[in-house]
Amino acid sequence: MEMLGEFSAPARSKSFLRLAVRGSRTGRAHAITEVGLRFSNGAGVDRDFVKAAQWFEQGRAAGDVAAGMLLAECYLLAKGVSKNSTKRSRFCRCRVGE
């Protein structure tokens, strides 16, 4: 699942991953989602769809609408989670503040 594709050199991917993880520890929703994208794309880490879906869930819970859409895609394509159209539909309808 190339959600955003590989767009940076491996060395930069690892340093950017460290920055995203640091941001995620402070509760920054976008940083949490970025870590999920890194796992999804294998940028700076081994590709792991289960971990990607877990990070997307955390990002969604922290308020990142994009994370909800990415999580819906995971449920649609059964990447890291079991295929589930009910959850997919629910996450596609997520809104800020929901």
Side-chain angles (χ1 to χ4, degrees), residues 18-85:
R18 283 192 296 274
L19 288 172
V21 168
R22 189 179 315 150
S24 72
R25 289 183 185 139
T26 62
R28 293 188 175 128
H30 180 73
I32 295 168
T33 303
E34 183 61 39
V35 174
L37 283 168
R38 296 290 159 165
F39 277 108
S40 177
N41 295 330
V45 293
D46 291 333
R47 182 176 258 178
D48 186 329
F49 294 122
V50 172
K51 287 183 180 178
Q54 291 168 346
W55 281 98
F56 294 151
E57 175 59 39
Q58 291 177 38
R60 185 195 67 77
D64 190 353
V65 175
M69 296 302 293
L70 292 166
L71 187 58
E73 185 176 338
C74 290
Y75 281 108
L76 174 68
L77 302 173
K79 296 289 186 174
V81 293
S82 298
K83 194 170 190 171
N84 186 320
S85 60

